[in-house]
Amino acid sequence: MNLSLVDRLRSARERRGALLTDPGTTAFRLVNGAPDGVPDVTVDTFGGVHVVSLYRDLSPSEEQALLDAAQEAWSPRSLYLKRRPREARVLATTARDVLAPEQPARGEPVESLEALENGLRFRIRPAQGLSVGLYLDMRETRAWLRGQVKGLTVLNLFSYTCAFGVVATAGGATRVLNIDTSRRVLEWGEENARLNGQPVDRYDYVAGDVFDWLGRLAKKGQGFDVVISDPPSFSTTRTARFSAARDYPQLAEAAARLVAPGGRLVACCNLSTLTSRRFEAMVAEGVGRAGRQGRTLLSLGPSPVDFPSSPEAPSGLKVNVVQLR
């Protein structure tokens, strides 16, 4: 029997199980594309504000039908729409207000709100752009990290709004250094820290090119017990272009030089075009180039509760935790 779109959306929500009633987590994924019966569509919820992302072009009537179905299925406070072309060149040439309209597609405007993840608070800005403040597929990795860093030092690369930094501090890390190219998102990260009653030292929120700072820190002989590397799939700076599929060995090499003996490199990537085996090989290649020996302790991924996958729609997220000698 073919279920209506409304029924598919309702069923997807029901499959979120305990997340629906967890008082400590109000941010999770409601729809994860084809495995939930809605190909090329994801929906993230942040305390009743839903962010609908489209990964293929829909006609105006198809978009409206999807939004109407979501409104009927869930009665959310607000629905925000994000149009996400698969090709970076399309993103670069398309007006931001077309890709991520500032006004909600349905419901009331929400400039910002606080969402909870495992009891920690994060500032979400649903109208901000394509990225609203928290990548939900990393929830399991953040939960793992929180239990691993007591008394340790942490380097958080490509930190974005510093969610890993907030979690590491909550887990008892003695120092967390966050590095990102954008001062704006680092200030957002400082706000997240303050939301959780954590002290903020501006020296631990560094704006600049990550590769440049990796070189500077290595020259100073600095080392960290845990180095987290979670780069964007593609990025462009004033001096270079980075592609995770091509350049991850170079990144792993630079990051491995800053891992203290016995410490861990948490290597993250989100590309469906990379197999887990290929990604592990790229990380190992970089570690070897740095003259280090490492062994993979574990591999992590998103929660299957709200990020279900299938052979036709595998998860793109890969996280390898490598211990270095």
Side-chain angles (χ1 to χ4, degrees), residues 69-222:
Q71 186 72 31
E72 182 178 347
W74 303 319
S75 300
R77 176 183 175 189
S78 301
L79 284 172
Y80 279 84
L81 184 64
K82 313 293 181 182
R83 302 180 179 95
R84 301 176 184 269
R86 292 184 182 276
E87 297 184 21
R89 63 181 178 83
V90 176
L91 286 168
T93 58
T94 305
R96 174 173 159 170
D97 61 347
V98 172
L99 297 176
E102 289 190 7
Q103 293 301 309
R106 298 286 188 278
E108 65 182 86
V110 179
E111 181 181 353
S112 71
L113 71 150
E114 291 180 22
L116 292 172
E117 181 183 274
N118 294 320
L120 295 175
R121 299 179 180 277
F122 297 95
R123 176 69 63 195
I124 305 300
R125 293 185 166 91
Q128 182 71 41
L130 288 176
S131 300
V132 302
L134 191 65
Y135 293 118
L136 302 183
D137 56 353
M138 282 293 186
R139 187 178 67 251
E140 296 293 287
T141 302
R142 286 190 287 265
W144 169 85
L145 181 75
R146 187 172 180 175
Q148 300 292 317
V149 296
K150 186 174 182 178
L152 303 182
T153 56
V154 177
L155 175 60
N156 183 20
L157 304 173
F158 307 97
S159 63
Y160 184 44
T161 60
C162 307
F164 276 119
V166 168
V167 168
T169 301
T174 57
R175 186 199 178 190
V176 182
L177 176 59
N178 302 280
I179 302 178
D180 195 276
T181 57
S182 169
R183 170 56 63 190
R184 180 184 61 84
V185 296
L186 287 168
E187 290 173 352
W188 195 339
E190 293 176 13
E191 184 178 359
N192 282 333
R194 293 189 182 99
L195 282 177
N196 292 281
Q198 298 174 354
V200 172
D201 186 335
R202 179 54 67 94
Y203 288 104
D204 288 333
Y205 295 81
V206 174
D209 180 85
V210 167
F211 279 97
D212 179 47
W213 275 99
L214 285 171
R216 291 192 201 185
L217 293 169
K219 285 182 179 179
K220 293 180 179 179
Q222 291 200 30

Side-chain angles (χ1 to χ4, degrees), residues 33 44 53-54 78 118 123 126 152 162 169-170 198 232 266 271 287 293 301 303:
D44 294 333
S53 294
L54 309 179
S78 301
N118 294 320
R123 176 69 63 195
L152 303 182
C162 307
T169 301
Q198 298 174 354
V266 182
L271 274 179
V287 169
Q293 292 184 326
S303 167

